[in-house]
């Protein structure tokens, strides 16, 4: 799997003219773990959704290049897009309460992509779904398969989401704030699970979050976005050596348990951060 | 200033808070940390008088409180919530929302107080006649704080006040809360899932798990690892993992 994005622009027509949200993002990735970090409104989620062309209907997209292997995403037919979405690339969203179908059991939801993408029979898919639930380390997967989303805890719901996304054997997994709504103890478990599955299956991972320390913990490389642009791309191991004052600011702003400070540094946002270099 | 003795709160068959006790001295900050469902917000809502269904004792200034609070209580104790979008009235201007507590308590000098409250919360005077949807998330939380403080309370109950904000905005709000506490000698009771946030503002911490306060300790003890309960140790370890980048 090779993903190539060059000069991606996404904007929305509005009452006060065209509002750009993503302004010239470029990157390429293969089977690696890439983090995209930024504050709300930085364009990180829109960028990831553009890969699956799952941007809102009124969004205007243009790019010099937006390719998923040999598929040109911008000109792809619905059929070709269907081959990417859920099959070659899976998307995990923040809140399983909204992302899961409330009137289908966990097992049915994991079985659906198995039938759709792999052509398994209803019965075989059901058995495979239980196996998938076991893979995302759900205890007693056969019982959980019969539960509805409202009967699952947040962490369990997110595991079901991951199982569903992995069912199609994707080459790329996009996790958009996939653990932000979860408790710290569960968050770490889910991220370790994702990391482990991605490494074992040789998949690519795009981890999108507002939490820079968290992302750098689980990724090889991090893109830092600000006002619709990538302001810095750094190897996760060298994050502390990052040069951009915005990246530095994101690292220094949060309070620290071990290094207490009477006052926290705040970001002095510079207009040129938003300018195209 | 605030005392809680053997507080129990039940929702139907579920006992959400199982007999917890702690005290916060005047001008102090006490932080309650715990995961979702631990009962931390439930404790705060009972103290605020938002939930009248509890057993045990809640003391304010040494006096036991009845479940139904008199109006004078709300002049002295105010609450700030996680989501300022949900806690501000969407169709009222900032000016209107700041004036309301003053009118309720029959406080004079509304205009000067609003001007001062905006300034104290770090809000530009031009934002006074804006609606919540015209403000950023950080500005909205500043309005919620200004509103909580406008009738000069002594105690602020803070329920995840920065959890919905970006880290840079969180830093601004935490600085603001620290400044206001010093300037006004406020008593804070802060609830959060974020251990670093709690330790930043509060020298004393209670750790909640499954409706119980499993440990109370000072920030120094927490940093030094002088911990007795495994859940405290687990929360500390997770916070440290993310700091070692």
């Amino acid at each position: 799997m090779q993903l190539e994005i060059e000069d991606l622009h996404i904007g929305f027509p509005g009452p006060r003219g065209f509002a750009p949200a993503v302004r010239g993002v470029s990157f390429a990735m293969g089977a690696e773990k890439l983090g995209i970090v930024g504050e709300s409104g930085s364009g990180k989620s829109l960028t990831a959704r553009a890969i699956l062309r799952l941007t809102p209907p009124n969004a205007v997209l243009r790019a010099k290049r937006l390719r998923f292997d040999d598929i040109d995403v911008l000109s792809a037919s619905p059929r070709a897009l269907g081959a990417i979405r859920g099959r070659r690339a899976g998307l995990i969203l923040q809140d399983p309460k909204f992302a899961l179908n409330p009137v289908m059991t966990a097992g049915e939801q994991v079985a659906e992509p198995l039938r759709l993408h792999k052509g398994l029979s209803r019965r075989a898919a059901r058995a495979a779904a239980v196996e998938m639930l076991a893979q995302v380390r759900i205890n007693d997967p056969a019982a959980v398969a019969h539960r509805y989303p409202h009967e699952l805890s947040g962490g369990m719901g997110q595991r079901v989401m991951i199982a569903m996304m992995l069912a199609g054997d994707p080459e790329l997994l996009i996790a958009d704030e996939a653990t932000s709504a979860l408790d710290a103890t569960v968050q770490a478990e889910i991220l370790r699970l994702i990391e482990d599955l991605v490494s074992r299956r040789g998949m690519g991972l795009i981890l999108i979050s507002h939490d820079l320390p968290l992302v750098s913990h689980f990724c090889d490389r991090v893109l830092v976005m600000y006002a619709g642009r990538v302001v810095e791309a750094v190897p996760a191991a060298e994050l502390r050596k990052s040069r951009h004052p915005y990246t530095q600011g994101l690292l220094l702003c949060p309070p620290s348990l071990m290094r207490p400070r009477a006052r926290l540094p705040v970001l002095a946002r510079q207009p040129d951060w938003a300018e195209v270099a | 200033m605030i005392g809680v003795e053997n507080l129990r709160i039940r929702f139907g068959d579920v006992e959400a808070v199982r007999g917890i006790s702690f005290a916060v001295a005047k001008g102090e900050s006490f932080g309650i940390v715990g995961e979702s469902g631990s009962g931390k917000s439930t404790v705060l809502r009972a103290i605020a008088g938002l939930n009248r269904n509890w057993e045990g004792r809640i003391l304010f200034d040494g006096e036991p409180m009845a479940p139904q609070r008199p109006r004078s209580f709300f002049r002295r104790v105010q609450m700030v919530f996680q989501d300022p979008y949900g806690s501000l009235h969407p169709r009222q201007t900032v000016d209107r929302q700041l004036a309301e507590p003053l009118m309720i308590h029959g406080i004079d000098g509304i205009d000067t107080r609003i001007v001062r409250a905006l300034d104290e919360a770090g809000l530009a005077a031009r934002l006074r006649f804006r609606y919540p949807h015209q403000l950023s998330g950080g500005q909205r939380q500043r309005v919620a704080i200004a509103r909580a403080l406008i009738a000069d309370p002594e105690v602020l109950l803070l329920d995840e006040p920065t959890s919905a904000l970006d880290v840079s905005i969180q830093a601004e709000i935490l600085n603001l809360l620290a400044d206001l506490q010093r300037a006004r000698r406020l008593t804070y009771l802060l609830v959060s899932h974020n251990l670093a946030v709690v330790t930043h503002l509060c020298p004393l911490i209670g750790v909640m798990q499954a409706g119980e306060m499993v440990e109370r300790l000072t920030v120094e003890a927490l940093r030094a690892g002088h911990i007795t309960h495994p859940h405290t140790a687990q929360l500390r370890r997770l916070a440290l993992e993310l700091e070692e980048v």
Side-chain angles (χ1 to χ4, degrees), chain A residues 108-245:
Chain A
E108 285 165 358
Q109 300 195 51
V110 179
E112 195 175 39
L114 291 167
R115 283 169 45 208
L116 207 65
H117 300 314
K118 290 191 174 166
L120 294 188
S121 72
R122 187 172 287 270
R123 195 175 171 160
R126 202 174 299 155
V130 173
E131 169 56 26
M132 290 300 306
L133 291 174
Q135 268 195 44
V136 294
R137 286 178 226 142
I138 286 178
N139 296 327
D140 201 356
V144 171
H146 288 290
R147 288 200 206 150
Y148 287 91
H150 75 273
E151 297 173 304
L152 304 171
S153 68
M156 192 97 88
Q158 210 55 297
R159 284 172 203 265
V160 172
M161 273 288 286
I162 295 169
M164 218 169 119
M165 288 306 143
L166 291 178
D169 277 331
E171 296 149 64
L172 174 69
L173 194 62
I174 303 173
D176 187 357
E177 302 276 9
T179 62
S180 308
L182 304 175
D183 284 323
T185 47
V186 185
Q187 172 171 307
E189 270 173 41
I190 297 285
L191 284 171
R192 262 182 234 121
L193 171 69
I194 291 178
E195 192 188 28
D196 179 54
L197 291 166
V198 164
S199 306
R200 267 199 291 141
R201 292 168 171 238
M203 295 160 51
L205 171 70
I206 299 181
L207 192 60
I208 298 165
S209 172
H210 64 285
D211 192 333
L212 182 50
L214 183 79
V215 163
S216 54
H217 209 77
F218 288 96
C219 291
D220 310 316
R221 190 157 64 102
V222 180
L223 306 180
V224 181
M225 285 190 70
Y226 182 79
R229 292 178 49 233
V230 175
V231 293
E232 190 165 19
V234 275
E238 289 166 32
L239 201 62
R240 289 282 165 198
K241 288 189 233 156
S242 64
R243 286 201 308 272
H244 199 280

Side-chain angles (χ1 to χ4, degrees), chain A residues 39-40 183-185 188 192 213-214 216-217 240 250 253 255-258 260-261 263-267 269, chain B residues 35-36 166-172 174-175 179 196-197 199-200 222-223 234 236 238 240-243 245:
Chain A
E39 295 182 294
S40 37
D183 284 323
T185 47
R192 262 182 234 121
L214 183 79
S216 54
H217 209 77
R240 289 282 165 198
L250 288 183
C253 282
S256 151
L257 173 60
M258 296 314 271
R261 292 161 292 178
R263 288 192 77 72
L264 297 169
V266 297
L267 274 180
R269 292 162 198 273
Chain B
E35 305 213 301
S36 44
D166 283 317
V167 288
S168 61
I169 312 299
Q170 166 172 280
E172 291 175 16
L174 289 176
N175 285 342
D179 291 344
V197 165
T199 56
H200 181 73
L222 179 66
R223 279 197 192 109
Q234 185 187 27
R236 179 178 184 272
L238 287 164
L240 290 187
E241 247 174 50
L242 291 181
E243 286 186 8
V245 173

Side-chain angles (χ1 to χ4, degrees), chain B residues 102-244:
Chain B
L102 298 173
M103 293 191 288
I104 289 171
H105 295 296
I107 298 169
D108 291 335
I110 290 185
D111 190 64
T112 33
R113 274 182 180 264
I114 290 178
V115 170
R116 201 180 64 202
L118 289 173
D119 180 55
E120 235 183 347
L123 288 162
R126 66 186 159 78
L127 301 177
R128 181 169 168 185
F129 297 99
R130 298 260 175 101
Y131 290 92
H133 74 269
Q134 297 171 308
L135 304 174
S136 69
Q139 287 169 336
R140 283 197 287 264
Q141 198 57 300
R142 286 175 190 271
V143 171
I145 292 169
R147 181 178 60 181
L149 290 177
I150 200 157
D152 291 328
E154 296 156 62
V155 176
L156 271 198
L157 306 173
L158 302 157
D159 190 3
E160 302 268 13
T162 63
S163 302
L165 306 174
D166 283 317
V167 288
S168 61
I169 312 299
Q170 166 172 280
E172 291 175 16
I173 298 293
L174 289 176
N175 285 342
L176 172 67
L177 288 170
D179 291 344
L180 288 168
Q181 183 177 36
R182 219 170 301 122
R184 290 176 167 237
R185 298 176 43 79
L186 291 163
T187 305
Y188 282 170
L189 181 54
L190 169 72
V191 159
S192 177
H193 70 286
N194 185 323
L195 195 58
V197 165
V198 172
T199 56
H200 181 73
L201 279 182
C202 308
L204 281 170
I205 290 163
V207 179
M208 283 193 72
Q209 185 186 30
E212 287 176 42
M213 194 168 277
V214 294
E215 185 162 9
R216 268 177 301 169
L217 72 174
T218 64
V219 166
E220 288 78 26
L222 179 66
R223 279 197 192 109
H226 299 316
I227 289 168
T228 56
H229 198 276
H231 189 56
T232 314
Q234 185 187 27
L235 292 179
R236 179 178 184 272
R237 192 171 59 245
L238 287 164
L240 290 187
E241 247 174 50
L242 291 181
E243 286 186 8
E244 302 163 350

Side-chain angles (χ1 to χ4, degrees), chain B residues 3 54 56-67 69:
Chain B
W54 47 266
R57 297 219 303 169
I58 296 177
L59 303 143
F60 180 65
D61 225 358
E63 296 290 315
M65 289 275 106
R69 303 292 148 77

Side-chain angles (χ1 to χ4, degrees), chain B residues 4-8 54-58 65:
Chain B
V4 168
E5 292 173 5
N6 200 22
L7 182 69
R8 286 178 183 280
W54 47 266
E55 294 163 41
R57 297 219 303 169
I58 296 177
M65 289 275 106

